[in-house]
Amino acid sequence: MEIINVFGNTYCIDTGMTYIPFYKLNEKEIVLLDSGYGNSEREGINMLIDDNGYRVYGIINSHAHIDHVGNNMFFKEKDKAIIAMTRLEAALCSSEESVKAYFGGHTLKSVRGHFETMISETDILIDSEDELLEMGGVVFKIIPTPGHSPAHISIITPDNVVYVGDTLISYEVMRGAKMPYAFILSVDFLSKKKLSTLNCEHFIVAHKGIYSNIENLVDDNIAFYKHRAQRVYDVINKPMTLEEILRAVICEFDINVKSIHKQRVINRMMCSFVDYLIEIEQLTAEIENGFIKYRQTEKETSV
Ligand SMILES: [Zn+2]
């Protein structure tokens, strides 16, 4: 792990997997933008912060996914860090029950086993109309970029550097990602496009890149997700239940599913593509003998 100076007082921790940006308030205190993975990244992040003599004054979270909020409670306990998140995302990760409600399909035991570090206590709730957030005497701009998660935000530091969280993925991640995730794909596309209207010095993508211009990246991200949706569409070559689609998708995308947890995660990712295909009317859902079956929508033939 290492620290990269992005611009002015805006820095990034490179964990290998992820960029975790931070803003230096003074020689000692920093505001983290997201806190990384609790299990695999905690030790490294904490060591880097200690070695530099920093205290985490606060954390502003882009969204409540486990690889972005995983060290919230750790730094809250260690440094009394103040945690800020959108009202909805804060609610989603506020308890075991809320995490279970958010992820659906997981038992409470499985939530405890896999999502424990996601549970977070939030001090400052960001409302959808809030455009600015003051923390440690400096002001961050908040740009709503929902879609990847229900109330995802991008955060602009006082150096005019924007952290876009998971609204975009880098070219490297696109090359490796079999099934990228979005909560609502069509909403995520609008947020991606919104980012290209920002006039910022630099754009930090969580997984993982720093760009001074993102126009091509936005277009390529949208094309990448649409191409994945097309491949899901193509495997549905007859009326299928969700489970049948999942089986076909696992085969088509050559995904290794060796645990119940992984199956649930992949299923959740796939369902967002199925939802999107229904939304754009490429798929039609029908009930057949008590089962929902999905089929390619018949195209009207012009006479
Ligand atoms: Zn995420």
PDB file of all heavy atoms in Angstrom, residues 65 88-89 92 102 146-151 181-188 268 271-273 275:
ATOM      1  N   HIS A  65     -21.459   0.039   0.587  1.00  0.00           N
ATOM      2  CA  HIS A  65     -21.020  -1.321   0.246  1.00  0.00           C
ATOM      3  C   HIS A  65     -19.852  -1.699   1.139  1.00  0.00           C
ATOM      4  O   HIS A  65     -19.075  -0.844   1.566  1.00  0.00           O
ATOM      5  CB  HIS A  65     -20.627  -1.419  -1.234  1.00  0.00           C
ATOM      6  CG  HIS A  65     -21.820  -1.526  -2.146  1.00  0.00           C
ATOM      7  ND1 HIS A  65     -21.748  -1.384  -3.510  1.00  0.00           N
ATOM      8  CD2 HIS A  65     -23.133  -1.767  -1.863  1.00  0.00           C
ATOM      9  CE1 HIS A  65     -22.955  -1.534  -4.037  1.00  0.00           C
ATOM     10  NE2 HIS A  65     -23.817  -1.764  -3.058  1.00  0.00           N
ATOM     11  N   LEU A  88     -30.308   7.472   3.258  1.00  0.00           N
ATOM     12  CA  LEU A  88     -30.753   6.129   2.875  1.00  0.00           C
ATOM     13  C   LEU A  88     -29.649   5.081   3.063  1.00  0.00           C
ATOM     14  O   LEU A  88     -29.875   4.014   3.634  1.00  0.00           O
ATOM     15  CB  LEU A  88     -31.260   6.136   1.420  1.00  0.00           C
ATOM     16  CG  LEU A  88     -31.720   4.800   0.844  1.00  0.00           C
ATOM     17  CD1 LEU A  88     -32.771   4.142   1.730  1.00  0.00           C
ATOM     18  CD2 LEU A  88     -32.266   4.977  -0.566  1.00  0.00           C
ATOM     19  N   GLU A  89     -28.437   5.397   2.590  1.00  0.00           N
ATOM     20  CA  GLU A  89     -27.345   4.424   2.727  1.00  0.00           C
ATOM     21  C   GLU A  89     -27.034   4.185   4.215  1.00  0.00           C
ATOM     22  O   GLU A  89     -26.715   3.063   4.608  1.00  0.00           O
ATOM     23  CB  GLU A  89     -26.088   4.913   1.993  1.00  0.00           C
ATOM     24  CG  GLU A  89     -26.291   5.189   0.509  1.00  0.00           C
ATOM     25  CD  GLU A  89     -26.117   3.978  -0.406  1.00  0.00           C
ATOM     26  OE1 GLU A  89     -25.491   2.992  -0.004  1.00  0.00           O
ATOM     27  OE2 GLU A  89     -26.630   4.049  -1.550  1.00  0.00           O
ATOM     28  N   LEU A  92     -29.435   1.725   5.468  1.00  0.00           N
ATOM     29  CA  LEU A  92     -29.209   0.372   4.950  1.00  0.00           C
ATOM     30  C   LEU A  92     -28.149  -0.385   5.736  1.00  0.00           C
ATOM     31  O   LEU A  92     -28.216  -1.607   5.866  1.00  0.00           O
ATOM     32  CB  LEU A  92     -28.789   0.438   3.471  1.00  0.00           C
ATOM     33  CG  LEU A  92     -29.856   0.930   2.494  1.00  0.00           C
ATOM     34  CD1 LEU A  92     -29.271   1.088   1.101  1.00  0.00           C
ATOM     35  CD2 LEU A  92     -31.039  -0.030   2.459  1.00  0.00           C
ATOM     36  N   TYR A 102     -31.753  -5.269   2.956  1.00  0.00           N
ATOM     37  CA  TYR A 102     -31.149  -4.711   1.744  1.00  0.00           C
ATOM     38  C   TYR A 102     -30.744  -5.828   0.786  1.00  0.00           C
ATOM     39  O   TYR A 102     -31.000  -5.773  -0.406  1.00  0.00           O
ATOM     40  CB  TYR A 102     -29.933  -3.874   2.168  1.00  0.00           C
ATOM     41  CG  TYR A 102     -29.163  -3.176   1.073  1.00  0.00           C
ATOM     42  CD1 TYR A 102     -29.770  -2.801  -0.135  1.00  0.00           C
ATOM     43  CD2 TYR A 102     -27.827  -2.853   1.252  1.00  0.00           C
ATOM     44  CE1 TYR A 102     -29.054  -2.142  -1.115  1.00  0.00           C
ATOM     45  CE2 TYR A 102     -27.103  -2.193   0.275  1.00  0.00           C
ATOM     46  CZ  TYR A 102     -27.722  -1.848  -0.915  1.00  0.00           C
ATOM     47  OH  TYR A 102     -27.002  -1.194  -1.877  1.00  0.00           O
ATOM     48  N   PRO A 146     -26.840   8.363  -7.952  1.00  0.00           N
ATOM     49  CA  PRO A 146     -27.467   7.087  -7.610  1.00  0.00           C
ATOM     50  C   PRO A 146     -27.403   6.103  -8.779  1.00  0.00           C
ATOM     51  O   PRO A 146     -27.133   6.502  -9.911  1.00  0.00           O
ATOM     52  CB  PRO A 146     -28.922   7.493  -7.331  1.00  0.00           C
ATOM     53  CG  PRO A 146     -29.133   8.705  -8.166  1.00  0.00           C
ATOM     54  CD  PRO A 146     -27.816   9.433  -8.187  1.00  0.00           C
ATOM     55  N   GLY A 147     -27.665   4.852  -8.493  1.00  0.00           N
ATOM     56  CA  GLY A 147     -27.717   3.835  -9.553  1.00  0.00           C
ATOM     57  C   GLY A 147     -26.877   2.634  -9.184  1.00  0.00           C
ATOM     58  O   GLY A 147     -27.395   1.529  -9.064  1.00  0.00           O
ATOM     59  N   HIS A 148     -25.582   2.851  -8.949  1.00  0.00           N
ATOM     60  CA  HIS A 148     -24.743   1.728  -8.499  1.00  0.00           C
ATOM     61  C   HIS A 148     -25.277   1.206  -7.165  1.00  0.00           C
ATOM     62  O   HIS A 148     -25.302   0.005  -6.904  1.00  0.00           O
ATOM     63  CB  HIS A 148     -23.286   2.171  -8.376  1.00  0.00           C
ATOM     64  CG  HIS A 148     -22.430   1.149  -7.709  1.00  0.00           C
ATOM     65  ND1 HIS A 148     -21.995   0.014  -8.346  1.00  0.00           N
ATOM     66  CD2 HIS A 148     -21.964   1.065  -6.429  1.00  0.00           C
ATOM     67  CE1 HIS A 148     -21.286  -0.719  -7.499  1.00  0.00           C
ATOM     68  NE2 HIS A 148     -21.253  -0.109  -6.336  1.00  0.00           N
ATOM     69  N   SER A 149     -25.693   2.145  -6.316  1.00  0.00           N
ATOM     70  CA  SER A 149     -26.410   1.807  -5.076  1.00  0.00           C
ATOM     71  C   SER A 149     -27.542   2.829  -4.956  1.00  0.00           C
ATOM     72  O   SER A 149     -27.547   3.826  -5.687  1.00  0.00           O
ATOM     73  CB  SER A 149     -25.458   1.858  -3.877  1.00  0.00           C
ATOM     74  OG  SER A 149     -25.095   3.190  -3.615  1.00  0.00           O
ATOM     75  N   PRO A 150     -28.512   2.609  -4.042  1.00  0.00           N
ATOM     76  CA  PRO A 150     -29.711   3.454  -4.048  1.00  0.00           C
ATOM     77  C   PRO A 150     -29.431   4.963  -3.905  1.00  0.00           C
ATOM     78  O   PRO A 150     -30.099   5.776  -4.530  1.00  0.00           O
ATOM     79  CB  PRO A 150     -30.513   2.934  -2.853  1.00  0.00           C
ATOM     80  CG  PRO A 150     -30.040   1.542  -2.645  1.00  0.00           C
ATOM     81  CD  PRO A 150     -28.613   1.494  -3.086  1.00  0.00           C
ATOM     82  N   ALA A 151     -28.477   5.345  -3.057  1.00  0.00           N
ATOM     83  CA  ALA A 151     -28.243   6.789  -2.851  1.00  0.00           C
ATOM     84  C   ALA A 151     -26.745   7.095  -2.889  1.00  0.00           C
ATOM     85  O   ALA A 151     -26.225   7.836  -2.059  1.00  0.00           O
ATOM     86  CB  ALA A 151     -28.869   7.239  -1.533  1.00  0.00           C
ATOM     87  N   TYR A 181     -21.634  -4.750 -11.072  1.00  0.00           N
ATOM     88  CA  TYR A 181     -22.880  -4.564 -10.335  1.00  0.00           C
ATOM     89  C   TYR A 181     -23.443  -3.155 -10.483  1.00  0.00           C
ATOM     90  O   TYR A 181     -22.712  -2.176 -10.438  1.00  0.00           O
ATOM     91  CB  TYR A 181     -22.655  -4.855  -8.845  1.00  0.00           C
ATOM     92  CG  TYR A 181     -23.904  -4.606  -8.036  1.00  0.00           C
ATOM     93  CD1 TYR A 181     -24.992  -5.466  -8.161  1.00  0.00           C
ATOM     94  CD2 TYR A 181     -24.014  -3.500  -7.218  1.00  0.00           C
ATOM     95  CE1 TYR A 181     -26.162  -5.223  -7.468  1.00  0.00           C
ATOM     96  CE2 TYR A 181     -25.187  -3.254  -6.503  1.00  0.00           C
ATOM     97  CZ  TYR A 181     -26.250  -4.118  -6.637  1.00  0.00           C
ATOM     98  OH  TYR A 181     -27.405  -3.877  -5.956  1.00  0.00           O
ATOM     99  N   ALA A 182     -24.743  -3.084 -10.639  1.00  0.00           N
ATOM    100  CA  ALA A 182     -25.466  -1.814 -10.485  1.00  0.00           C
ATOM    101  C   ALA A 182     -26.821  -2.135  -9.888  1.00  0.00           C
ATOM    102  O   ALA A 182     -27.463  -3.101 -10.287  1.00  0.00           O
ATOM    103  CB  ALA A 182     -25.633  -1.104 -11.813  1.00  0.00           C
ATOM    104  N   PHE A 183     -27.240  -1.322  -8.939  1.00  0.00           N
ATOM    105  CA  PHE A 183     -28.534  -1.534  -8.279  1.00  0.00           C
ATOM    106  C   PHE A 183     -29.666  -1.282  -9.281  1.00  0.00           C
ATOM    107  O   PHE A 183     -30.565  -2.104  -9.432  1.00  0.00           O
ATOM    108  CB  PHE A 183     -28.628  -0.587  -7.076  1.00  0.00           C
ATOM    109  CG  PHE A 183     -29.910  -0.661  -6.313  1.00  0.00           C
ATOM    110  CD1 PHE A 183     -30.257  -1.814  -5.638  1.00  0.00           C
ATOM    111  CD2 PHE A 183     -30.757   0.432  -6.257  1.00  0.00           C
ATOM    112  CE1 PHE A 183     -31.445  -1.878  -4.913  1.00  0.00           C
ATOM    113  CE2 PHE A 183     -31.942   0.378  -5.529  1.00  0.00           C
ATOM    114  CZ  PHE A 183     -32.282  -0.777  -4.867  1.00  0.00           C
ATOM    115  N   ILE A 184     -29.619  -0.118  -9.943  1.00  0.00           N
ATOM    116  CA  ILE A 184     -30.564   0.148 -11.044  1.00  0.00           C
ATOM    117  C   ILE A 184     -29.743   0.679 -12.216  1.00  0.00           C
ATOM    118  O   ILE A 184     -29.255   1.817 -12.192  1.00  0.00           O
ATOM    119  CB  ILE A 184     -31.652   1.182 -10.655  1.00  0.00           C
ATOM    120  CG1 ILE A 184     -32.397   0.743  -9.397  1.00  0.00           C
ATOM    121  CG2 ILE A 184     -32.648   1.377 -11.807  1.00  0.00           C
ATOM    122  CD1 ILE A 184     -33.385   1.772  -8.861  1.00  0.00           C
ATOM    123  N   LEU A 185     -29.608  -0.150 -13.228  1.00  0.00           N
ATOM    124  CA  LEU A 185     -28.699   0.147 -14.334  1.00  0.00           C
ATOM    125  C   LEU A 185     -29.051   1.449 -15.063  1.00  0.00           C
ATOM    126  O   LEU A 185     -28.167   2.272 -15.343  1.00  0.00           O
ATOM    127  CB  LEU A 185     -28.746  -1.037 -15.309  1.00  0.00           C
ATOM    128  CG  LEU A 185     -27.461  -1.445 -15.977  1.00  0.00           C
ATOM    129  CD1 LEU A 185     -26.371  -1.712 -14.972  1.00  0.00           C
ATOM    130  CD2 LEU A 185     -27.686  -2.690 -16.833  1.00  0.00           C
ATOM    131  N   SER A 186     -30.353   1.648 -15.335  1.00  0.00           N
ATOM    132  CA  SER A 186     -30.741   2.826 -16.126  1.00  0.00           C
ATOM    133  C   SER A 186     -30.434   4.122 -15.359  1.00  0.00           C
ATOM    134  O   SER A 186     -30.047   5.127 -15.951  1.00  0.00           O
ATOM    135  CB  SER A 186     -32.228   2.758 -16.497  1.00  0.00           C
ATOM    136  OG  SER A 186     -32.990   2.601 -15.318  1.00  0.00           O
ATOM    137  N   VAL A 187     -30.599   4.079 -14.036  1.00  0.00           N
ATOM    138  CA  VAL A 187     -30.313   5.261 -13.198  1.00  0.00           C
ATOM    139  C   VAL A 187     -28.799   5.473 -13.134  1.00  0.00           C
ATOM    140  O   VAL A 187     -28.305   6.600 -13.189  1.00  0.00           O
ATOM    141  CB  VAL A 187     -30.918   5.064 -11.778  1.00  0.00           C
ATOM    142  CG1 VAL A 187     -30.542   6.216 -10.852  1.00  0.00           C
ATOM    143  CG2 VAL A 187     -32.433   4.913 -11.858  1.00  0.00           C
ATOM    144  N   ASP A 188     -28.067   4.386 -13.055  1.00  0.00           N
ATOM    145  CA  ASP A 188     -26.598   4.443 -13.029  1.00  0.00           C
ATOM    146  C   ASP A 188     -26.060   5.082 -14.319  1.00  0.00           C
ATOM    147  O   ASP A 188     -25.120   5.880 -14.266  1.00  0.00           O
ATOM    148  CB  ASP A 188     -26.059   3.010 -12.861  1.00  0.00           C
ATOM    149  CG  ASP A 188     -24.544   2.949 -12.807  1.00  0.00           C
ATOM    150  OD1 ASP A 188     -23.963   3.661 -11.975  1.00  0.00           O
ATOM    151  OD2 ASP A 188     -23.955   2.197 -13.591  1.00  0.00           O
ATOM    152  N   ARG A 268     -27.741 -11.687  -7.466  1.00  0.00           N
ATOM    153  CA  ARG A 268     -28.140 -10.298  -7.258  1.00  0.00           C
ATOM    154  C   ARG A 268     -27.625  -9.417  -8.407  1.00  0.00           C
ATOM    155  O   ARG A 268     -28.339  -8.547  -8.899  1.00  0.00           O
ATOM    156  CB  ARG A 268     -27.548  -9.841  -5.919  1.00  0.00           C
ATOM    157  CG  ARG A 268     -27.986  -8.495  -5.448  1.00  0.00           C
ATOM    158  CD  ARG A 268     -27.712  -8.379  -3.949  1.00  0.00           C
ATOM    159  NE  ARG A 268     -27.842  -7.018  -3.502  1.00  0.00           N
ATOM    160  CZ  ARG A 268     -26.818  -6.167  -3.417  1.00  0.00           C
ATOM    161  NH1 ARG A 268     -25.610  -6.552  -3.746  1.00  0.00           N
ATOM    162  NH2 ARG A 268     -27.028  -4.932  -2.992  1.00  0.00           N
ATOM    163  N   CYS A 271     -29.683 -10.234 -11.566  1.00  0.00           N
ATOM    164  CA  CYS A 271     -31.062  -9.735 -11.519  1.00  0.00           C
ATOM    165  C   CYS A 271     -31.141  -8.269 -11.966  1.00  0.00           C
ATOM    166  O   CYS A 271     -32.134  -7.851 -12.552  1.00  0.00           O
ATOM    167  CB  CYS A 271     -31.645  -9.879 -10.113  1.00  0.00           C
ATOM    168  SG  CYS A 271     -32.140 -11.578  -9.797  1.00  0.00           S
ATOM    169  N   SER A 272     -30.091  -7.480 -11.678  1.00  0.00           N
ATOM    170  CA  SER A 272     -30.163  -6.079 -12.087  1.00  0.00           C
ATOM    171  C   SER A 272     -30.110  -5.955 -13.618  1.00  0.00           C
ATOM    172  O   SER A 272     -30.718  -5.059 -14.193  1.00  0.00           O
ATOM    173  CB  SER A 272     -29.089  -5.235 -11.399  1.00  0.00           C
ATOM    174  OG  SER A 272     -27.841  -5.504 -11.945  1.00  0.00           O
ATOM    175  N   PHE A 273     -29.430  -6.887 -14.272  1.00  0.00           N
ATOM    176  CA  PHE A 273     -29.432  -6.880 -15.748  1.00  0.00           C
ATOM    177  C   PHE A 273     -30.792  -7.328 -16.281  1.00  0.00           C
ATOM    178  O   PHE A 273     -31.298  -6.770 -17.257  1.00  0.00           O
ATOM    179  CB  PHE A 273     -28.316  -7.786 -16.296  1.00  0.00           C
ATOM    180  CG  PHE A 273     -26.953  -7.161 -16.171  1.00  0.00           C
ATOM    181  CD1 PHE A 273     -26.135  -7.458 -15.095  1.00  0.00           C
ATOM    182  CD2 PHE A 273     -26.496  -6.259 -17.120  1.00  0.00           C
ATOM    183  CE1 PHE A 273     -24.882  -6.866 -14.966  1.00  0.00           C
ATOM    184  CE2 PHE A 273     -25.255  -5.660 -17.002  1.00  0.00           C
ATOM    185  CZ  PHE A 273     -24.440  -5.964 -15.925  1.00  0.00           C
ATOM    186  N   ASP A 275     -33.657  -6.968 -14.722  1.00  0.00           N
ATOM    187  CA  ASP A 275     -34.547  -5.811 -14.474  1.00  0.00           C
ATOM    188  C   ASP A 275     -34.405  -4.775 -15.588  1.00  0.00           C
ATOM    189  O   ASP A 275     -35.388  -4.242 -16.093  1.00  0.00           O
ATOM    190  CB  ASP A 275     -34.174  -5.113 -13.150  1.00  0.00           C
ATOM    191  CG  ASP A 275     -34.651  -5.893 -11.939  1.00  0.00           C
ATOM    192  OD1 ASP A 275     -35.403  -6.861 -12.118  1.00  0.00           O
ATOM    193  OD2 ASP A 275     -34.264  -5.519 -10.808  1.00  0.00           O
TER     194      ASP A 275
END
